[in-house]
Amino acid sequence: METWDAICARRNVRQYTNQPVSDADLDRIAEAGWRAPSAKNRQPWDFVIVTDRAQLQELSTVWMGARHIASAAAAIVLVVPVPPDERRKIVDQYDVGQATMAMMLAATDLGIGTGHSSVGDQDKARAILGVPDDRLVAFMLGLGYPADRPLRPIRKPNRRPFGEVVHRGRW
């Protein structure tokens, strides 16, 4: 798939087939996140790849919007250091967002759907994954082959009109 097609085809997928995602594909998706830009090239992230069905089921309970993780073939969990201040928190969130989007596009390129989720219960997420207390479990990315329809460029996306969003020179 071409880059532009992957951008146009990417959508949130929350229902997956039972087909597993290969280790090679999971590594490629994680590498896309690893290659993402970050402020001062700090690369604040660590990624935990989860494929164990029981672990995925447990992870689906750490946030009300994470139910899809239970039926995913895999999840990549993004972990960052506990920020020392509000500025670092904001910068790390931005950086993790870039890594997440890079992984989403790499997955889409492979025909693998993604659904992102926040994490509410830090203690539970840390316990499930063995993450130390000086780290935050920032976000989760469910991965799997879409159950409803394959990933193809969306011709008429459900988005605000382009002309309403883009401003040139001034608001």
Side-chain angles (χ1 to χ4, degrees):
M1 189 179 292
E2 294 294 321
T3 303
W4 185 249
D5 288 340
I7 290 168
C8 293
R10 195 223 55 85
R11 61 184 165 87
N12 288 329
V13 175
R14 288 186 164 50
Q15 294 180 338
Y16 311 97
T17 68
N18 291 328
Q19 181 181 350
V21 175
S22 73
D23 287 342
D25 285 349
L26 290 171
D27 285 349
R28 184 177 180 110
I29 294 163
E31 184 176 342
W34 174 75
R35 289 178 175 271
S38 65
K40 297 183 180 179
N41 199 28
R42 281 186 40 253
Q43 307 165 55
W45 48 66
D46 284 279
F47 308 136
V48 181
I49 298 173
V50 179
T51 57
D52 178 76
R53 180 68 36 218
Q55 228 179 339
L56 291 166
Q57 178 64 46
E58 281 187 274
L59 285 172
S60 75
T61 67
V62 301
W63 180 252
M64 59 202 246
R67 289 188 278 285
H68 65 285
I69 300 293
S71 64
I76 297 179
V77 182
L78 295 93
V79 178
V80 295
V82 171
D85 53 44
E86 189 64 22
R87 173 78 177 141
R88 181 65 60 86
K89 178 181 175 183
I90 291 167
V91 170
D92 285 356
Q93 286 177 339
Y94 187 82
D95 289 349
V96 168
Q98 292 186 98
T100 300
M101 189 63 181
M103 288 190 270
M104 289 174 151
L105 290 176
T108 300
D109 182 58
L110 296 168
I112 298 166
T114 58
H116 59 282
S117 172
S118 189
V119 176
D121 189 336
Q122 281 295 316
D123 292 335
K124 187 173 187 179
R126 282 185 186 116
I128 294 166
L129 299 167
V131 172
D133 289 341
D134 67 340
R135 306 285 171 172
L136 290 176
V137 181
F139 299 100
M140 300 184 293
L141 188 60
L143 300 150
Y145 294 93
D148 57 350
R149 65 190 190 280
L151 296 170
R152 291 192 190 107
I154 301 166
R155 300 291 172 220
K156 293 184 179 187
N158 182 13
R159 312 297 296 169
R160 286 176 45 209
F162 187 76
E164 230 179 72
V165 174
V166 176
H167 309 272
R168 298 192 188 273
R170 294 181 55 105
W171 183 262

